[in-house]
Every structure is written in structure tokens, then in C-alpha cells.
Amino acid sequence: MSGIVVVGSANIDQVFSVDRIPSPGETVLSHGVSTALGGKGQNQAVAAARAGAKTCFVGAVGADNFGEMVRAGLTADSIDVTQLRTSHKPTGTALIAVDGTGENTIIVEPGANSEVTVLTSADAAAISAASALVMQLEIPLKTVVEAARVAQAAETLVILNAAPIQELPRVLLDALDVLIVNEHEAADLARDNDVAPELEGLGQRLLALVPTVIVTLGSKGASLHRVGSAEVLVPAHRVTAVDATGAGDTFCGAFAAGVIEGMSADDALRFAVAAASISVENHGAVPSIPLRAAIETRAKESRQQVTD
Ligand code: ATP
Ligand code: RIB
């Protein structure tokens, strides 16, 4: 397959709307709760597929209703689920509080995601035949490392969104072509790897670890850093944010889709920033991920704003 393989998590998100995120020891009342498809792996697979990429998802769900919802959702987005296993553990779930400004806090119970402990030969074959492998850190790290090494050997582009952040072994860093992190993850990674963690110039300094680094900057947009090139900053579109859940995932999936269809890294960055700006205007993770036509319209609007 010449598309994208995502190796990662799939969750069902229980999203509580609150005025403000509770502090430790505090109870707040919610205005409502909704259930939606989520999980960083599933979100990124859906984002890549809706942005136009042929996509395959490798992960695990439980033998339960939530697992059926995930399978049906991925299939509805034309994502290949041949490699999706059914585990004896329940489907992963996330408890999410979203406040009035669209900010969130998330607790994830991995469930079946923790059972993605080995790659099958079919997984490895799919990764080797793909143009890009996209991963996050909600499944066992050992599997992430194994998948990255399979991809590296096959010259499949390896993109890691290092979220939620944890210490990364050198063998994984060495296999990465593109690292995507938010500012907090960038600072943690720097601290763990003897790179000065101050935010100023951090993306450029992380090039000591990976040849291409993208730092997502929330409402400020995203910056691209490549060995031997100047930093590129793409400002975010000005939107009314209602829910940031999955914005980073939308960004990653759209960026990967742009790159494998031949966009330059700069253009893929603009495409991803446009996609993510739409996701924050809408509620939920998977429900807020835009289709390609909407991304193109948003990207064109921003080009017009620049020329006007
Ligand atoms: P999340 O964990 O909420 O999915 P993240 O922390 O991984 O997100 P962010 O840097 O917050 O990543 O957001 C990812 C991208 O989404 C940003 O680079 C930006 O393009 C877009 N984005 C986020 N917040 C906003 C906003 N308020 N307005 C416009 N675009 C936004
Ligand atoms: O990045 C957002 C995702 O993080 C949510 O969909 C939630 O499931 C957690 O994995």
C-alpha cells in the first residue's frame, strides 16, 4: 500500500462540558456529557483519511459495544481495519473535561490499547509497503520502537507525535524522520535529552535529536524546523475555539497526508494548520475532524488574507 499506516490507540471519549476545569480536590457540575470516537491513533488515522490519504489502522479494541463503534467509525472513513485486533481487555476510554474556552484535561484508561504489544507479520508488511508510518505514545513503547525500526528498514517515512510525552530511547529517536510535539512535550523531551529546555529556539535545538521537528503552538500556529534550513512559522487562523480536543491529532494526520501526496513540508504545514483550525471550532475529537474540501477552502482563505 502506498498510503499511511497509523499504529496507535483508539478510545471512546466521554466528554464533560464544564465552566472551568476542577482543581485537585474540587467538584464541579457539568452542563452535559457526550460520547465520541477518539484516541490519538484513531484521530490521526481519521484526519489522514479525511484529508485524502489511503489509510490503514493498526491497533486494538475490546470485544464490546465501544469496540464495534470504533470499527464502524474507521470503516465509515474508508480506513483499512484488517489489522485491527480484538482484545480480551475493554476498549480504551478517555474522560475529558472541556471548559468554556475550549481548553481540556484528559484522563485515559488504555484498556485494549495496552495489548498492542507485538506487530504481526501482516502489520510489518503493511508498514514496509506504506509511504508513511504515523504513531503516538498511547500504546506500549516497545511496539512503537519495533514499528519505527520496520519502517526505517523499508525507507517508509516515520512520523512520531510524542504524546503523551515519555522518555524516548535513542533507538527510537534515531529511526524518526519527523517529530511533532506541542510546547510542553518539546520542553520535556529537551530536558530528558540534555537539550536546553527554554522555549526560545527550542524547535531548532531539538534538531539535535531528529532531522525534522514540528512544534505546535496552540492558537499561535506551528513551527517547522529542518536541519540546514531556517525555521518556518505558520500562524493559526483566527477562529472561535469551542473544543481543542484532537486539534493536535488533526494537525498530525493532515500533515502526513499532505507530505505523502507530494506537498512541500511548508505547504503540508499550512495544510495541517488549516485543518486543525477547523477542528477547534467544533466539538469532539473524531466528529470535529474536517474533510479535505473544507481544509482547502480554509487554506485558500488564509492565502487571500495574506495577499489582501
Ligand atoms: P490537543 O492535545 O488539544 O489535541 P496539542 O496540545 O497537541 O493539542 P496544540 O498546539 O494545542 O496541540 O494544537 C495543535 C494545532 O491546532 C496548532 O498547531 C494550531 O494549528 C491548531 N490550534 C490549536 N488551538 C487553536 C486555536 N485556538 N485557534 C486556531 N488554531 C488552533
Ligand atoms: O488527543 C486527543 C485524544 O487524547 C482524545 O481523543 C483522547 O481519547 C486521548 O487519547
Side-chain angles (χ1 to χ4, degrees):
M1 119 169 229
S2 53
I4 292 173
V5 173
V6 176
V7 178
S9 58
N11 294 332
I12 293 295
D13 293 347
Q14 304 282 6
V15 188
F16 293 78
S17 303
V18 293
D19 284 335
R20 61 193 171 74
I21 309 287
S23 305
E26 190 187 11
T27 302
V28 297
L29 291 183
S30 163
H31 299 302
V33 58
S34 58
T35 302
L37 298 174
K40 293 184 192 302
Q42 175 168 221
N43 297 342
Q44 294 184 18
V46 171
R50 291 187 187 169
K54 188 174 164 195
T55 307
C56 167
F57 180 69
V58 177
V61 292
D64 46 28
N65 288 342
F66 282 170
E68 283 311 309
M69 282 168 63
V70 168
R71 196 175 287 276
L74 290 167
T75 306
D77 271 301
S78 305
I79 294 166
D80 179 353
V81 290
T82 320
Q83 253 71 257
L84 179 64
R85 308 98 160 93
T86 303
S87 155
H88 64 282
K89 288 199 177 171
T91 301
T93 47
L95 174 62
I96 304 182
V98 179
D99 74 11
T101 71
E103 277 305 321
N104 62 33
T105 56
I106 305 180
I107 300 172
V108 175
E109 161 48 40
N113 298 308
S114 66
E115 294 293 295
V116 187
T117 50
V118 282
L119 290 182
T120 65
S121 53
D123 298 336
I127 292 168
S128 300
S131 302
L133 167 69
V134 175
M135 296 187 291
Q136 325 72 34
L137 299 173
E138 286 186 335
I139 59 167
L141 186 61
K142 169 183 166 290
T143 312
V144 173
V145 173
E146 189 185 343
R149 295 188 77 176
V150 168
Q152 184 184 31
E155 297 186 1
T156 297
L157 189 80
V158 186
I159 302 177
L160 178 71
N161 173 217
I165 192 68
Q166 57 178 282
E167 271 192 47
L168 303 180
R170 173 56 65 175
V171 63
L172 176 58
L173 289 168
D174 287 349
L176 301 182
D177 295 297
V178 182
L179 171 71
I180 304 179
V181 281
N182 67 21
E183 288 174 292
H184 307 290
E185 292 149 3
D188 281 3
L189 206 58
R191 205 166 292 122
D192 291 344
N193 290 279
D194 297 326
V195 174
E198 289 75 34
L199 282 180
E200 185 71 25
L202 185 52
Q204 289 297 118
R205 290 199 301 280
L206 286 175
L207 293 176
L209 306 176
V210 179
T212 298
V213 173
I214 293 173
V215 183
T216 64
L217 306 164
S219 60
K220 298 193 295 280
S223 60
L224 169 69
H225 310 265
R226 279 161 299 175
V227 170
S229 300
E231 168 181 344
V232 176
L233 174 70
V234 174
H237 303 248
R238 278 211 206 109
V239 298
T240 304
V242 301
D243 183 356
T245 312
D249 299 329
T250 302
F251 179 98
C252 294
F255 179 80
V259 166
I260 68 150
E261 73 174 53
M263 287 183 199
S264 68
D266 297 22
D267 284 346
L269 188 73
R270 279 184 273 278
F271 185 68
V273 165
S277 76
I278 299 170
S279 81
V280 302
E281 292 179 298
N282 297 286
H283 290 279
V286 164
S288 71
I289 297 171
L291 290 165
R292 183 171 185 113
I295 306 172
E296 283 177 344
T297 304
R298 177 60 55 88
K300 247 183 241 154
E301 284 165 8
S302 74
R303 273 201 294 278
Q304 272 160 4
Q305 275 169 17
V306 171
T307 10
D308 288 349

